[in-house]
Amino acid sequence: MCAKKIIVIGGSAAGPKAASKARRIDENAEITIIQKNEDLSMASCGYPYYVGGFFDDRNQLLCSPAGVVRDSKFFWNAKKIKAIVNSEVTSIDKKNKTVTYVNSVTNEQSSLEYDKLVITTGAIARKPKIEGIDLEGITTLQSLHDADYLRKIRDEGKIKKAVVIGGGLIGIETCEALHLAGIEITLIELLPQLLTFLDRQIARLVEKYVQTKANVILENGVSSFLGENGKLTAVKLQNGTEIPCELAVIAIGVVPNSILAKNAGLETGKTGGIIVNEFMQTSDPNIYAAGDCIEIPNLITNSAVHAPYGDLANLQGRVIGENILKGNLIKFSGTIQTGICKVFDYGVGATGLSEQNAIKAGFTNIETVINASLDKPGFMQGKLLITKLVVNKSDGKIIGAQVIGPGDVSKQIAIWAVAIKGNLTVYDMSTADLPYAPPYSLAIDHSIASAHVMINKLEGAFIGISAEQVKAKINEKSNITLLDVRNPDEYEEIRLGIGEKLIPLGQLRNRLNELPSEKNTEIITYCKISLRGYEAALILQANGYKNVKVLEGGIMAWPFQREK
Ligand SMILES: Cc1cc2nc3c(=O)[nH]c(=O)nc-3n(C[C@H](O)[C@H](O)[C@H](O)COP(=O)(O)OP(=O)(O)OC[C@H]3O[C@@H](n4cnc5c(N)ncnc54)[C@H](O)[C@@H]3O)c2cc1C
């Protein structure tokens, strides 16, 4: 039997992964990657860190773990994979099983036959069609070419002011990179919040932090780019404000690059991504697709989503490598849309659904809780973590988690992602056997403590109230008593200044007479993270108070202005 001919279109993440896995399964298959760019296997996720100066050697974006640049020679010598670079596939002939490609250096057109074809053409950065978009100084951060451009700007050190358009993952990572290059940043977001995978309150906490590094403007879009002599000089906002700058980075999202597939008659879906089944097979059984060019099911809502994440691209590529040679044996069932990004010294991550996305998806019986604590003991320089959990009220099944803070967010998100994928409940998590030693966690890990707080709430041990609800009550001038139960020295250091009364927890039992005597008075208790707030609520309830609530996450989760 002849060796199988496999062609992979696209040579960055999903493509080389599919090709390499196929080679590990069949030494004799004829495997060819056709890549539009000059480079192969680029670590796109590393671009912001190259631009930000975390490392200086560009080749590190292209290296294997052993430090060898993954160029055509590497692919041939190490993997017997032919990698044709600088070549764009311009058409697919499904009937005759051929692809046509054009070399961008020589303009030469060639054709190749395949038995199995893999499409991994990635995504395209969205760009607004507005006046001035072609001025010099406007870019995206999608390709290595873009990263080179921005890195050159860093190295030259001439540009002083930049505008980043879009407050998603890449926009925020770009802010940090340019900030580290000594550039003054204004971040513009059309929506009322940054990072829309987060709920508003959690996003506000991130915004408050980003504002210490960059000027953040929300609910305002760009109406045009202004320039002189072909060069950008300012960004004009929809409200008429002009922001002088020499650089603008557009980061308003990406769309699947599925035009080649569409033109070949392959089915695409409502997101514009190529439709694949669980074996990653397109509407043509001889053609598979993976990565940013496809759409996949969200495993919680069952709706098709575009999930442009590097980990998913690699996992899907691996599934294809196996399925094209062994027959459809392994499945990629979908995503729970787990993501994380570095926001200066904060980690910001989410998995599953936020409260607002759960409501949008039609979930009606959910419960949420916010928990704040250190990631490890104070004597080991523990850092703050703030978690918001979303669960089904009826059975405690976890459907979403958002975690932010300077602490170890990545570990927390990883725990919740596996819990959601494994259909676990907060009751399962409440006794999870996680590793513990002081350099790594608290004796009860923050994730388990978050599950405990949720269980207390589900079982009615306390009634929680969010910072946003408290703020609304203050604005409405509701008749509430706000009770901070920390010590006076803590109160001197930071305080909300929202009309609260300070009674330290240890004195509360003896000072109940300082609270309104009417037992139906609404009392909201809190401390730094609300553990003492919870204990205070229990004392008040035991003393007959019937309308006691705990400010979830305490002062640390208060996203509004504080007095101190
Ligand atoms: C700045 C940045 C930061 C990111 N950070 C993260 C992160 O921290 N975590 C995370 O999970 N994800 C991150 N991502 C997303 C991640 O990089 C992508 O999900 C991943 O690269 C997708 O892999 P892919 O193979 O599908 O597409 P790509 O990596 O885009 O590769 C597609 C390749 O196909 C080539 N191609 C396109 N059309 C043709 C054609 N017709 N013929 C031949 N070749 C073609 C393209 O030139 C490209 O090289 C980031 C992305 C960017 C841009």
Side-chain angles (χ1 to χ4, degrees):
M1 192 177 130
C2 293
K4 242 188 191 146
K5 291 194 181 83
I6 297 165
I7 294 181
V8 177
I9 308 174
S12 185
K17 184 57 79 183
S20 301
K21 181 68 187 168
R23 168 59 70 231
R24 287 197 281 273
I25 290 169
D26 185 345
E27 175 61 17
N28 297 316
E30 278 179 30
I31 307 173
T32 306
I33 295 174
I34 306 177
Q35 161 71 325
K36 188 169 154 185
N37 307 94
E38 187 182 355
D39 297 299
L40 290 154
S41 288
M42 303 88 87
S44 339
C45 311
Y47 296 165
Y49 306 101
Y50 176 56
V51 173
F54 284 77
F55 59 97
D56 297 321
D57 179 6
R58 180 188 190 269
N59 277 346
Q60 286 191 274
L61 290 166
L62 307 166
C63 275
S64 73
V68 185
V69 171
R70 287 181 282 212
D71 54 13
S72 297
K73 206 167 131 201
F74 164 83
F75 272 97
W76 184 251
N77 289 343
K79 297 173 188 283
K80 215 177 88 179
I81 292 170
K82 188 172 176 191
I84 303 172
V85 295
N86 290 320
S87 296
E88 179 173 3
V89 174
T90 48
S91 66
I92 300 167
D93 180 344
K94 289 190 298 176
K95 194 158 159 263
N96 296 307
K97 291 206 209 162
T98 58
V99 297
T100 302
Y101 61 96
V102 177
N103 184 300
S104 60
V105 180
T106 61
N107 261 339
E108 204 179 309
Q109 179 171 304
S110 317
S111 284
L112 275 179
E113 282 179 8
Y114 64 83
D115 295 314
K116 298 286 177 198
L117 179 67
V118 183
I119 303 178
T120 64
T121 44
I124 299 170
R126 275 207 196 111
K127 272 188 171 184
K129 291 190 184 90
I130 54 176
E131 198 187 319
I133 185 78
D134 296 322
L135 288 166
E136 191 186 323
I138 302 172
T139 183
T140 55
L141 180 50
Q142 179 66 16
S143 65
L144 186 49
H145 181 258
D146 296 336
D148 287 335
Y149 175 74
L150 290 172
R151 174 69 202 218
K152 190 159 171 260
I153 285 175
R154 176 198 163 86
D155 292 341
E156 287 174 351
K158 288 189 203 143
I159 286 186
K160 299 291 170 227
K161 285 185 181 182
V163 170
V164 174
I165 301 151
L169 293 174
I170 294 182
I172 292 210
E173 287 180 357
T174 305
C175 270
E176 181 181 8
L178 297 180
H179 178 81
L180 290 171
I183 297 173
E184 189 187 316
I185 315 291
T186 301
L187 174 64
I188 315 278
E189 169 58 59
L190 187 61
L191 298 172
Q193 71 170 73
L194 302 179
L195 300 169
T196 50
F197 55 87
L198 298 174
D199 282 319
R200 188 80 184 263
Q201 180 183 348
I202 303 292
R204 275 207 173 119
L205 290 165
V206 179
E207 270 151 43
K208 222 165 99 177
Y209 175 62
V210 175
Q211 254 151 5
T212 63
K213 315 277 185 183
N215 174 28
V216 180
I217 300 178
L218 299 175
E219 292 186 82
N220 213 332
V222 174
S223 66
S224 61
F225 294 102
L226 311 178
E228 272 171 34
N229 304 323
K231 287 188 178 166
L232 179 73
T233 54
V235 165
K236 187 168 182 184
L237 302 186
Q238 284 167 355
N239 69 354
T241 311
E242 287 180 18
I243 302 171
C245 61
E246 304 129 285
L247 172 70
V249 183
I250 302 170
I252 56 171
V254 295
V255 289
N257 181 13
S258 55
I259 189 74
L260 182 68
K262 246 184 229 167
N263 289 345
L266 298 175
E267 278 177 30
T268 54
K270 63 167 188 169
T271 70
I274 304 168
I275 294 178
V276 291
N277 62 18
E278 57 201 351
F279 303 111
M280 310 309 297
Q281 216 168 11
T282 68
S283 50
D284 179 323
N286 291 311
I287 306 179
Y288 291 68
D292 287 6
C293 62
I294 64 169
E295 63 176 39
I296 50 176
N298 178 302
L299 292 172
I300 306 172
T301 62
N302 281 326
S303 60
V305 292
H306 182 224
Y309 296 106
D311 58 320
L312 297 182
N314 278 285
L315 293 173
Q316 293 158 1
R318 197 171 176 280
V319 166
I320 292 180
E322 196 146 346
N323 284 344
I324 46 177
L325 284 166
K326 288 190 177 166
N328 288 342
L329 277 187
I330 52 169
K331 293 178 182 175
F332 180 90
S333 50
T335 176
I336 52 171
Q337 290 183 282
T338 306
I340 187 164
C341 77
K342 181 174 176 315
V343 182
F344 300 93
D345 292 331
Y346 261 48
V348 173
T351 180
L353 301 181
S354 63
E355 181 182 7
Q356 60 203 27
N357 285 340
I359 291 168
K360 248 190 241 159
F363 284 79
T364 51
N365 194 26
I366 54 172
E367 187 57 276
T368 68
V369 93
I370 292 178
N371 179 39
S373 81
L374 296 183
D375 57 354
K376 51 192 178 188
F379 61 79
M380 295 305 289
Q381 287 78 49
K383 292 184 181 152
L384 182 72
L385 289 170
I386 300 171
T387 290
K388 178 167 181 176
L389 271 190
V390 184
V391 304
N392 272 336
K393 223 179 197 164
S394 51
D395 56 6
K397 189 172 146 189
I398 304 150
I399 56 174
Q402 301 151 62
V403 188
I404 64 165
D408 187 354
V409 169
S410 174
K411 170 182 154 188
Q412 297 296 313
I413 290 296
I415 289 171
W416 292 118
V418 173
I420 294 172
K421 193 84 195 286
N423 285 317
L424 299 188
T425 67
V426 275
Y427 302 100
D428 297 316
M429 283 300 295
S430 70
T431 52
D433 189 358
L434 298 179
Y436 162 60
Y440 305 108
S441 85
L442 298 175
I444 291 187
D445 185 74
H446 174 79
S447 58
I448 299 179
S450 302
H452 291 167
V453 179
M454 175 59 92
I455 291 170
N456 286 340
K457 192 169 182 187
L458 288 171
E459 293 182 347
F462 77 95
I463 299 172
I465 184 163
S466 71
E468 281 168 333
Q469 288 166 320
V470 173
K471 179 84 170 145
K473 282 180 188 282
I474 294 168
N475 292 346
E476 287 159 11
K477 303 206 177 348
S478 297
N479 185 21
I480 50 172
T481 298
L482 293 153
L483 187 60
D484 183 338
V485 295
R486 295 173 303 143
N487 295 324
D489 53 338
E490 293 174 272
Y491 190 73
E492 274 316 302
E493 205 184 317
I494 51 169
R495 63 169 169 257
L496 297 185
I498 50 174
E500 67 270 36
K501 187 171 182 56
L502 178 75
I503 305 183
L505 182 69
Q507 300 172 15
L508 185 58
R509 288 182 180 87
N510 298 326
R511 292 177 59 184
L512 290 171
N513 58 348
E514 294 177 33
L515 295 172
S517 53
E518 170 52 54
K519 299 291 184 193
N520 285 320
T521 306
E522 186 172 2
I523 304 180
I524 295 166
T525 61
Y526 65 88
C527 59
K528 187 171 179 187
I529 57 171
S530 277
L531 180 58
R532 282 172 287 171
Y534 168 52
E535 288 172 350
L538 294 176
I539 293 171
L540 295 179
Q541 281 162 9
N543 281 279
Y545 284 95
K546 295 191 174 62
N547 192 5
V548 185
K549 297 185 177 115
V550 181
L551 172 62
E552 291 185 10
I555 293 175
M556 289 298 100
W558 183 261
F560 310 107
Q561 189 94 26
R562 290 196 309 241
E563 186 180 297
K564 257 193 171 179

